[in-house]
Amino acid sequence: MAEQRKSIHGQWTNRTVFILAATGSAVGLGNIWKFPYIAGENGGGTFVLVYLLCIALIGLPIMMAEIMLGRRGKQSPINTMAALAKDEQRNPGWVWLGWMGVLAGFLILSYYSVIAGWAMSYVFRTGGGLFLGVTADGVNSIFTDLVTDPERLMAWHTLFMVMTMIVVARGVKHGIERAVTYLMPLLFALLIIIVIYSVTTGHFMEGVRFLFTPGKIDGKAILIAMGHAFFTLSLGMGAIMVYGSYLSNKHSIAQASILIALADTVVALLAGLAIFPIVFANGLEPGAGPGLIFQTLPIAFGHMQGGTLVGVVFFTLLVFAAWTSAISLIEPAVAYLVENKGVNRIYASVWIGFLTWFVGLGTVFSFNIWKEKTLTIPFLFEDLTFFDVLDYLTANIMLPLGGLFIALFAAWVMKEKSTREELATYPWLYKIWNFLTSFVTPLAVIVVFLKAIGVI
Ligand code: TRP
């Protein structure tokens, strides 16, 4: 039956387009904004190493599993899980995995959009020459001015949500294909330009050492590194699954997954190499938190030749990268509404977009009027704001949990005959995948969870 299924939402034109779209989903604020700041907060070196290990041993196998499930189910993650459980004659309860994914995507987008708003406002700040010859203190106060102003944050957040709704309403294909084909390679080129600037600061090797010299790490940091591997590859909530559902049956899933993960990792490492030399050259704090890129990169733009132009283009591209990711965060929910409620894409996008926008206000306020309102959950976290709690719950708990069950479903619930049909283009690769998803990936996720709460 899986062979005859067809997605009602359309299909990617070819394999390259799928890879570009999935890379567009993967490469986003996670690589350029989040990776450097969490690496900074967690001491660099070992954190980066754990993150890379998680990409290879947990991320890649789960990405293959997600694409496979999506391609077989050919529907939104909720209906895909229901359909596959039925195909395999298993418990229909597996559908909850789809629901958790939709919820996680919704929660992530609510804060993702606020941060994308920061990037948008920085296009104009840089363009207005605000950073010419700026000092570290100067960039700091410019950043603080922005985030302490709820009205401005709300305006940018609103604009970004509207942009996302428009593309999703038009349908994944027309919207996404074009953006990623041209813009991602350019983003890559600009990151390299900033890395070259960072080499000229004279502190490049300090940055390299910070990122790659192993040191101490605790269970909580390991959980954050693993959570980030899920976040950065868009795994664990059905985004890649839904993109897989628009993929034709004739393409190799393994090859595509490796390319996507590789591109994503290279962008994150380049971002780290761009940012940390500037941090050390200017006596900044690597653990500065979510503002890190906004407090470092403008220094580069304010001092390099043609920096204003480079800066404007860079932040514009960052907004595009965020945009192509944001789309994949609500696509599962929109696809579900279209499939089950008989509404059109426009209606579905507007409603889900509006709800997301509303929850996003909590993140807007986390940096100003609700800054002091924090939550502590024993064994898990202390003193987190609304934004931090959402980030923690989604990236460190919901995504790894979703990924764990996706791996278990693919490896243990689906019959080997079915998974072979999808993945056995290279038999040796299939064997590795099967071993990883059956044992290594689930165990790794469980061990990291237990370590983070101090059980082991
Ligand atoms: N991967 C994107 C980034 O790094 C964010 C993202 C898009 C995402 N879709 C997702 C994260 C699905 C988790 C799940 O910016």
Side-chain angles (χ1 to χ4, degrees):
M1 3 171 182
E3 293 70 32
Q4 288 131 31
R5 222 171 252 141
K6 215 169 166 267
S7 168
I8 60 165
H9 311 278
Q11 187 172 309
W12 304 113
T13 317
N14 54 45
R15 190 183 80 123
T16 312
V17 168
F18 165 72
I19 293 178
L20 284 171
T23 308
S25 165
V27 175
L29 295 172
N31 306 63
I32 294 169
W33 159 75
K34 194 173 179 192
F35 170 71
Y37 99 74
I38 57 176
E41 284 180 336
N42 293 288
T46 312
F47 179 88
V48 176
L49 195 75
V50 174
Y51 154 80
L52 291 175
L53 270 177
C54 290
I55 295 276
L57 294 180
I58 303 179
L60 252 181
I62 293 184
M63 179 174 291
M64 289 173 58
E66 260 199 47
I67 299 174
M68 170 187 78
L69 299 185
R71 186 165 79 174
R72 267 185 105 74
K74 293 251 183 327
Q75 296 155 75
S76 72
I78 295 172
N79 290 323
T80 284
M81 289 313 298
L84 294 183
K86 197 160 168 229
D87 284 356
E88 308 284 331
Q89 290 136 4
R90 306 288 182 166
N91 191 330
W94 278 97
V95 68
W96 73 268
L97 193 52
W99 281 105
M100 187 178 75
V102 165
L103 179 66
F106 168 80
L107 294 177
I108 293 174
L109 183 57
S110 80
Y111 69 80
Y112 202 83
S113 165
V114 176
I115 312 294
W118 297 0
M120 276 202 267
S121 89
Y122 267 66
V123 173
F124 296 92
R125 282 146 191 263
T126 316
L130 202 56
F131 298 118
L132 288 174
V134 79
T135 60
D137 283 342
V139 270
N140 236 325
S141 68
I142 292 169
F143 177 72
T144 311
D145 275 352
L146 172 71
V147 295
T148 49
D149 182 347
E151 281 157 30
R152 254 191 297 173
L153 291 191
M154 193 150 109
W156 290 113
H157 164 53
T158 309
L159 182 61
F160 187 81
M161 275 314 303
V162 170
M163 282 166 51
T164 303
M165 277 153 32
I166 291 176
V167 182
V168 178
R170 293 192 50 184
V172 168
K173 226 170 110 170
H174 304 288
I176 301 180
E177 285 195 16
R178 219 162 310 144
V180 277
T181 318
Y182 299 104
L183 299 174
M184 290 297 128
L186 198 56
L187 179 67
F188 198 75
L190 278 205
L191 267 178
I192 291 178
I193 293 180
I194 307 173
V195 173
I196 293 172
Y197 168 82
S198 285
V199 173
T200 70
T201 59
H203 290 72
F204 190 68
M205 287 318 290
E206 235 174 294
V208 172
R209 243 175 279 134
F210 180 77
L211 278 174
F212 298 109
T213 312
K216 278 217 282 288
I217 194 163
D218 63 8
K220 292 203 163 78
I222 294 177
L223 177 62
I224 296 173
M226 179 180 76
H228 188 63
F230 282 96
F231 187 91
T232 193
L233 293 177
S234 303
L235 296 176
M237 55 71 61
I240 291 293
M241 198 187 287
V242 93
Y243 278 14
S245 74
Y246 310 142
L247 179 67
S248 130
N249 287 346
K250 51 180 198 268
H251 303 305
S252 154
I253 290 178
Q255 233 177 20
S257 304
I258 291 171
L259 283 173
I260 298 162
L262 204 64
D264 187 79
T265 308
V266 171
V267 173
L269 293 179
L270 277 179
L273 289 176
I275 286 163
F276 286 105
I278 304 176
V279 168
F280 297 119
N282 292 280
L284 297 164
E285 189 41 64
L292 188 66
I293 67 160
F294 300 98
Q295 291 161 323
T296 48
L297 295 185
I299 299 181
F301 303 140
H303 293 268
M304 67 165 92
Q305 278 283 325
T308 300
L309 180 66
V310 175
V312 168
V313 180
F314 175 82
F315 281 118
T316 309
L317 293 171
L318 183 58
V319 173
F320 274 101
W323 202 8
T324 54
S325 301
I327 292 160
S328 73
L329 283 163
I330 56 169
E331 178 61 21
V334 170
Y336 172 76
L337 282 190
V338 172
E339 286 162 10
N340 285 43
K341 303 288 167 215
V343 297
N344 63 28
R345 290 192 69 92
I346 300 177
Y347 182 91
S349 312
V350 168
W351 267 107
I352 295 170
F354 175 75
L355 285 177
T356 315
W357 173 84
F358 184 75
V359 176
L361 297 182
T363 292
V364 164
F365 300 146
S366 295
F367 296 94
N368 36 71
I369 53 181
W370 288 358
K371 202 170 167 190
E372 311 300 328
K373 291 193 194 306
T374 57
L375 184 73
T376 297
I377 294 188
F379 303 111
L380 274 185
F381 54 72
E382 277 163 36
D383 270 345
L384 298 190
T385 60
F386 182 88
F387 155 71
D388 292 322
V389 171
L390 273 192
D391 175 37
Y392 195 97
L393 273 185
T394 51
N396 301 341
I397 298 181
M398 294 173 87
L399 299 182
L401 213 59
L404 169 66
F405 282 97
I406 286 169
L408 292 176
F409 185 87
W412 296 99
V413 177
M414 287 182 75
K415 304 199 175 85
E416 192 173 320
K417 179 177 166 292
S418 317
T419 51
R420 263 188 197 282
E421 256 170 46
E422 298 288 334
L423 295 176
T425 336
Y426 305 99
W428 57 274
L429 230 158
Y430 177 80
K431 281 207 189 104
I432 300 179
W433 174 84
N434 203 14
F435 178 71
L436 288 175
T437 43
S438 302
F439 305 105
V440 181
T441 308
L443 271 178
V445 175
I446 293 169
V447 167
V448 174
F449 271 141
L450 294 180
K451 207 163 164 50
I453 54 172
V455 176
I456 50 174

